[in-house]
Amino acid sequence: KAVGDRSAGLERRLGMATRAYERDRYREALVELRVLVRLAPEVGAVRELYGLTLYRLGRWREAVRELRAFHDLTGSFDQHPVIADCERALNHDKAVLVVWDALRQAGVDREVLVEGRLVVAGMLADRGDLDGAIALLGPGGKSLRHPDTCHLRQWYALGDIYERAGDLPRARELFERVASFSTELFDVEDRLGALR
């Protein structure tokens, strides 16, 4: 019974932390998660949510530690794009590329791969390699009749990089393409307004 009580208590705390996280109340989630990590460090879901919460709070080093622990416990590469983004925030370019290589070789879902690609392209653009970023995202950003969120995110990122590179017509074309499918997803209307 004691084990069942402990398990129920952990589940209740994890539920509270998850609800707080989903409502963008990260500090509240953190309070529960600190306790959970102490009580159940071997539970992948706890380490994952703790890492994501730390990421949302901009605590990059701690987030990397927790998300790597999540990977070690579960073998999942799902949070590798977040690890890469933390490394990017810490200006650890080589670490970003190491994570990207692991992600590419892991045979992950397309959504996870696209997220990783967006992080690496952002890092390349930040360091001034706009051509490299464009090449990584696919210079054409081919048009589709029924794009999913991954396509929209990639087109938006590509539009941003073309704008940085000074190719405003290409940036406008990509932002217009995103806007034709979704105006809620990003600040695409504002971006288009600034390019007019």
Side-chain angles (χ1 to χ4, degrees):
K1 186 167 191 299
V3 171
D5 289 349
R6 178 180 182 268
S7 179
L10 292 174
E11 279 183 39
R12 191 170 50 254
R13 275 190 187 275
L14 185 56
M16 288 166 54
T18 302
R19 283 188 296 281
Y21 179 87
E22 288 169 350
R23 293 181 179 127
D24 301 336
R25 297 198 320 244
Y26 305 119
R27 293 194 188 292
E28 191 178 310
L30 200 60
V31 171
E32 295 299 331
L33 288 162
R34 280 191 182 125
V35 175
L36 281 166
V37 166
R38 216 171 41 247
L39 296 174
E42 74 291 348
V43 177
V46 169
R47 301 303 282 271
E48 181 182 31
L49 189 57
Y50 190 34
L52 291 173
T53 301
L54 291 163
Y55 171 73
R56 293 292 186 175
L57 291 168
R59 294 166 63 174
W60 319 122
R61 279 186 181 80
E62 294 167 273
V64 166
R65 182 190 66 227
E66 293 304 320
L67 293 173
R68 286 192 188 281
F70 162 72
H71 170 72
D72 292 345
L73 286 165
T74 64
S76 170
F77 285 84
D78 286 357
Q79 299 305 335
H80 268 50
V82 180
I83 293 172
D85 202 34
C86 290
E87 297 290 13
R88 175 184 170 197
L90 292 164
N91 293 313
H92 297 164
D93 293 355
K94 284 184 179 148
V96 172
L97 296 175
V98 168
V99 173
W100 172 235
D101 284 341
L103 199 54
R104 285 193 341 222
Q105 293 169 23
V108 296
D109 290 346
R110 186 175 70 89
E111 291 82 9
V112 176
L113 195 62
V114 166
E115 286 301 315
R117 184 176 290 121
L118 291 173
V119 172
V120 176
M123 179 201 76
L124 292 172
D126 289 348
R127 64 153 78 141
D129 183 3
L130 299 174
D131 291 339
I134 289 168
L136 183 63
L137 291 177
K142 69 179 181 194
S143 190
L144 300 166
R145 272 196 207 147
H146 305 289
D148 58 24
T149 303
C150 286
H151 295 113
L152 298 178
R153 288 175 56 74
Q154 208 155 323
W155 294 342
Y156 182 90
L158 198 50
D160 179 68
I161 293 167
Y162 273 116
E163 184 179 1
R164 287 198 212 178
D167 188 344
L168 303 187
R170 189 78 180 104
R172 191 176 303 112
E173 177 192 330
L174 285 156
F175 288 141
E176 283 170 351
R177 192 185 305 164
V178 173
S180 72
F181 291 100
S182 171
T183 53
E184 295 88 50
L185 200 54
F186 308 100
D187 61 347
V188 71
E189 294 289 334
D190 296 338
R191 298 297 295 268
L192 279 168
L195 288 173
R196 287 198 172 98

